[in-house]
Amino acid sequence: MEKLKRPVYLKAGTDDFFKKMRTEVNETILQNSSLYQFNIIKSLALVFFFFLFYSCILLFGDHTPLLFLFYILCGITMILLFINAFHDAAHGALFRKSKHNEWFMYVLELFGGNHWLWTRRHINLHHAYPNVPDWDIDIKQSDIIRIFPNSPLFDYHKYQHIYMWMIYPFYSLNWIYIRDFKDFFGKKDNYVKKVVDKIPRSEIYKMIAAKVINLFYLLFIPMMLLHQPWYIVLGGWFAMHLCGSTLGVVALVSTHVDEDAHFPVTDDYGNLSATWAMHQMIVTKDFSTESKLANFLYGGFTHHVAHHLFPGVGHTYYPYITPIIRRYAQEYNLPYTSYPFYHAVRSHFRMLKNKGVKENIMMTGEI
């Protein structure tokens, strides 16, 4: 893919709000070590429960309702691991020592992922340039869906607000078994190759091995050990991904891509019009921040503004950082938005409807 000049943010001034905010957060919220410990306990507990539910598949899976129940519980726990524990570890925010985060990320391989690729994809592209066309890989993934204003418009996009309801439940299947191959070997819209000169061959081997191991223990071992027809086990495995994806997609569509989303573009010299911190405030939104259940399930996604401003901080700190962000937003007249999750999801699909038709300049989010 053609190498593009990396976007450059506006340089922050001496009175930049984020310098003061960061100092306050460091001197107050981050002094609470119990939140750090809770994050580790929660993460390890999620790993434990995933393999507990997997064991229950093998122990009780001869009973079809229990087979589906424990597969679904595996799917829910898997997604919670991705958006809580693995997400924090990828940012170096789960453990204080970087090597411990790196070790924990190897657990990701058991779920079919490749942590080397995910780190570069998520940290070097999405977090570096959120909502920036031609750079944010987490938004531009396929021509099936049109979100960026500069993406090509196809006739079928006029129905994307309808058919994406049926495609989103397959998100984890694409994430685990398709997307990595596209990022390693694909040539069209391969954003990863903008930030990586050469993909190590060892990572390709690891990626393939991880997917083989994942399919072997989650699908083929139950097929071999249980007294169930192969298609019943396959159905349970699909149910795991469908239910897990449905839960996870709420977080993925609620934070950057609603009907009021901004997609800042660079000028001819590659410059963006805002500072790094202001950019994060403009393109990121929170949802259901007051819900303890949502905070537990979705980790750093409910308080996503805090996550983008403090990506190296564990998600258990974010409910305490968000009030500080709101105060600064009011004091400095900064953009800040928080929706209930149902409003955020509804707004996302309204955005899909808008992006599925020819736009005028008032709809692009560029003015």
Side-chain angles (χ1 to χ4, degrees):
M1 189 175 184
E2 181 184 356
K3 292 279 186 178
L4 298 177
K5 184 179 179 181
R6 295 196 183 200
V8 177
Y9 290 105
L10 186 69
K11 187 176 180 180
T14 55
D15 192 41
D16 182 61
F17 76 93
F18 184 62
K19 294 179 181 179
K20 299 177 181 178
M21 181 191 296
R22 183 172 53 196
T23 299
E24 181 175 347
V25 168
N26 288 337
E27 292 178 352
T28 56
I29 308 302
L30 299 189
Q31 301 304 311
N32 187 348
S33 61
S34 64
L35 296 173
Y36 165 76
Q37 294 163 357
F38 176 69
N39 194 11
I40 294 176
I41 293 171
K42 176 183 176 181
S43 300
L44 296 178
L46 287 172
V47 175
F48 170 79
F49 277 108
F50 175 85
F51 287 104
L52 175 64
F53 295 144
Y54 171 70
S55 300
C56 289
I57 291 173
L58 302 181
L59 292 173
F60 307 112
D62 286 336
H63 302 279
T64 302
L66 293 179
L67 174 74
F68 275 80
L69 172 64
F70 288 117
Y71 258 126
I72 289 171
L73 290 174
C74 276
I76 292 172
T77 312
M78 174 185 71
I79 291 298
L80 295 185
L81 272 165
F82 272 106
I83 62 182
N84 286 273
F86 295 141
H87 187 213
D88 273 6
H91 283 281
L94 180 56
F95 299 99
R96 291 195 175 101
K97 292 186 177 180
S98 59
K99 66 179 181 180
H100 295 161
N101 288 298
E102 178 78 11
W103 293 347
F104 187 81
M105 284 298 288
Y106 275 104
V107 181
L108 174 70
E109 317 288 322
L110 295 176
F111 294 83
N114 179 273
H115 78 276
W116 180 90
L117 177 59
W118 189 27
T119 299
R120 280 144 188 84
R121 191 162 60 197
H122 185 67
I123 308 296
N124 296 354
L125 286 165
H126 170 63
H127 266 270
Y129 313 110
N131 283 39
V132 177
D134 297 320
W135 287 94
D136 190 346
I137 193 173
D138 282 355
I139 291 181
K140 172 61 178 176
Q141 296 185 27
S142 169
D143 284 337
I144 292 175
I145 183 173
R146 183 176 187 265
I147 295 178
F148 279 138
N150 68 338
S151 294
L153 177 64
F154 298 106
D155 286 341
Y156 57 81
H157 285 143
K158 69 179 68 171
Y159 306 111
Q160 67 178 359
H161 63 290
I162 299 172
Y163 63 69
M164 287 308 299
W165 285 100
M166 295 171 279
I167 292 178
Y168 274 141
F170 294 90
Y171 187 87
S172 65
L173 288 170
N174 174 69
W175 190 5
I176 296 172
Y177 304 113
I178 298 175
R179 189 180 177 190
D180 287 353
F181 286 100
K182 289 173 62 178
D183 288 339
F184 271 126
F185 304 112
K187 294 182 179 180
K188 180 183 177 183
D189 292 333
N190 194 325
Y191 289 15
V192 172
K193 293 183 179 178
K194 293 181 179 182
V195 295
V196 176
D197 291 328
K198 185 177 180 181
I199 296 174
R201 188 174 296 272
S202 61
E203 294 301 330
I204 297 175
Y205 296 146
K206 289 178 186 177
M207 183 266 292
I208 295 173
K211 294 178 190 336
V212 170
I213 292 171
N214 176 264
L215 286 171
F216 180 72
Y217 82 85
L218 274 176
L219 187 58
F220 296 121
I221 286 183
M223 283 183 177
M224 291 185 291
L225 296 184
L226 298 177
H227 299 93
Q228 289 277 18
W230 65 269
Y231 54 85
I232 294 295
V233 177
L234 182 63
W237 179 81
F238 267 115
M240 174 184 76
H241 282 284
L242 296 178
C243 293
S245 295
T246 301
L247 178 67
V249 160
V250 171
L252 299 174
V253 305
S254 299
T255 52
H256 293 286
V257 284
D258 66 343
E259 59 192 318
D260 299 316
H262 291 265
F263 303 100
V265 296
T266 60
D267 62 19
D268 294 338
Y269 302 99
N271 298 311
L272 291 164
S273 60
T275 64
W276 174 85
M278 177 63 81
H279 181 89
Q280 311 305 316
M281 297 284 291
I282 292 171
V283 302
T284 312
K285 295 178 174 66
D286 290 347
F287 72 96
S288 297
T289 56
E290 305 304 320
S291 169
K292 291 183 178 180
L293 176 60
N295 288 336
F296 180 84
L297 292 176
Y298 293 113
F301 284 83
T302 50
H303 296 266
H304 213 56
V305 177
H307 172 60
H308 269 262
L309 290 174
F310 300 93
V313 174
H315 73 268
T316 47
Y317 287 92
Y318 294 153
Y320 304 93
I321 295 176
T322 294
I324 295 177
I325 294 174
R326 287 176 178 154
R327 175 160 49 82
Y328 274 79
Q330 189 172 24
E331 180 181 346
Y332 285 82
N333 194 27
L334 305 172
Y336 173 80
T337 303
S338 179
Y339 296 134
F341 85 92
Y342 56 85
H343 178 105
V345 172
R346 188 170 63 237
S347 182
H348 171 74
F349 281 92
R350 282 199 293 258
M351 180 276 299
L352 291 184
K353 186 174 183 179
N354 292 337
K355 289 292 188 288
V357 297
K358 189 174 182 180
E359 296 162 324
N360 58 56
I361 194 170
M362 298 300 293
M363 295 170 61
T364 62
E366 297 175 12
I367 62 173

